[in-house]
Amino acid sequence: MKLLTYQTKDTEPRLGFLHNNQVIDMEDFGEISNFPLPSDMLDLIDMGIEIIDELNEMVAETPENYFKEIAYELEEVTLLAPIQKPRKNIIGIGLNYTEHVAESARTLDTTGKLPQKPIIFSKPPTTVTGTNTEIIKNTKLTSQLDWEVELAVIIGKQGKYVPKAEAMDYVFGYTVINDISARDCRREGQWIVSKGQDTFAPMGPILVTKDEIENPHNLNLSLKVNGIEKQNSNTKFLLFNINDLIEDLSIVFTLDPGDIIATGTPAGVGAGRDPQEWLHDGDVVEATVEGIGTIINTVKEISR
């Protein structure tokens, strides 16, 4: 199922899903199906991973004419980040593609050695923004704003000490994240200022449930700046795959429904180029993951 958070000129943010290229309101669908459903993505995730199969069955059994009264055309709505306000920080994974490890060692203060365990950082909930919004570049903080396309994993049930072989049982779905990074804002090796500024986690455009993605470890991902391709790779090149990450993270701390794991970016970031390239006012960034979609954002410079 392709889930989304949307808004019209007449509504607050609402939960919906795509059906026949239209947006169907989830709460309204619950009413016509006589099955109470929420209007918020986190509330739906809280219903459990099993709700995905139930929803798919309900959609298949619903006559097409029933959808007409609760449907919007895509051009009628504004797509928001699928999870607008995560309950916890986004979990970021650093240096998780071999070629990105190499390029980081050339230009940043990393060693070039392949990590033996996942490198974990976090991004506050206020970093989240949706597609077709602005990435804020505060010129008093950074002159080195960079891009990082990533596959993000959404956790569907609580997990602690999850064995690698069972990790996929804890996945609710997937989305796209652009892990925007201010390369000159790292402090003594700490990444939170570099990674954690407002709008530094464009996310979306939708959340695709795991049943729609046959193999998350074989998805093309790419990024363009002003129409020029900068990154192009595949999740099969992840150093630590999703199973590895869930196992490792769940040893460190409990994973909860709605937690978001940004799995890392491949080579091609601005810091790794010769000469280095950075994002500037008006630049348009498009981050794409196969089977999910593209998020588009425009850089806006401020000085505060």
Side-chain angles (χ1 to χ4, degrees), residues 157-171 241-251 255:
K157 66 178 180 180
Q158 190 176 85
K160 182 67 175 173
Y161 305 118
V162 178
K164 187 185 305 186
E166 299 174 13
M168 285 299 169
D169 295 340
Y170 291 78
V171 174
N241 67 22
I242 296 165
N243 302 68
D244 298 325
L245 295 176
I246 290 175
E247 180 182 61
D248 183 75
L249 291 168
S250 69
I251 293 171
L255 294 174

Side-chain angles (χ1 to χ4, degrees), residues 75-202:
E75 57 267 21
E76 294 181 85
V77 307
T78 299
L79 295 184
L80 308 174
I83 299 176
Q84 280 193 287
K85 296 179 181 179
R87 295 175 182 139
K88 293 156 63 176
N89 282 16
I90 295 168
I91 303 162
I93 306 298
L95 303 176
N96 202 24
Y97 285 78
T98 303
E99 290 183 358
H100 182 52
V101 173
E103 72 175 359
S104 295
R106 289 195 302 270
T107 54
L108 301 171
D109 58 359
T110 55
T111 66
K113 296 179 181 178
L114 293 181
Q116 299 304 299
K117 290 183 179 294
I119 297 173
I120 305 168
F121 63 93
S122 74
K123 298 170 80 80
T126 48
T127 57
V128 172
T129 188
T131 189
N132 297 315
T133 62
E134 292 174 336
I135 298 166
I136 302 302
K137 176 184 179 181
N138 187 344
T139 57
K140 286 194 173 180
L141 286 174
T142 181
S143 61
Q144 298 181 354
L145 197 66
D146 208 346
W147 57 81
E148 293 190 6
V149 61
E150 308 197 6
L151 172 69
V153 177
I154 315 300
I155 296 298
K157 66 178 180 180
Q158 190 176 85
K160 182 67 175 173
Y161 305 118
V162 178
K164 187 185 305 186
E166 299 174 13
M168 285 299 169
D169 295 340
Y170 291 78
V171 174
F172 185 85
Y174 308 94
T175 191
V176 184
I177 278 183
N178 189 351
D179 176 17
I180 298 296
S181 306
R183 302 297 185 191
D184 48 359
C185 287
R186 289 171 298 143
R187 298 180 179 178
E188 298 299 325
Q190 296 180 358
W191 295 3
I192 188 70
V193 181
S194 169
K195 302 281 194 175
Q197 297 176 38
D198 290 357
T199 73
F200 275 24

Side-chain angles (χ1 to χ4, degrees), residues 14 25-38 58 66 70:
R14 304 275 296 175
D25 186 88
M26 184 66 77
E27 189 174 35
D28 290 346
F29 178 66
E31 289 184 10
I32 68 169
S33 303
N34 198 28
F35 187 97
L37 290 169
M58 289 163 58
Y66 281 39
I70 58 171

Side-chain angles (χ1 to χ4, degrees), residues 4-16 23 25 39 72-81 84 133:
L4 52 91
T5 298
Y6 77 96
Q7 189 170 20
T8 74
K9 57 183 177 62
D10 300 317
T11 70
E12 295 296 314
R14 304 275 296 175
L15 175 63
V23 176
D25 186 88
S39 60
Y72 295 94
E73 299 299 329
L74 277 167
E75 57 267 21
E76 294 181 85
V77 307
T78 299
L79 295 184
L80 308 174
Q84 280 193 287
T133 62

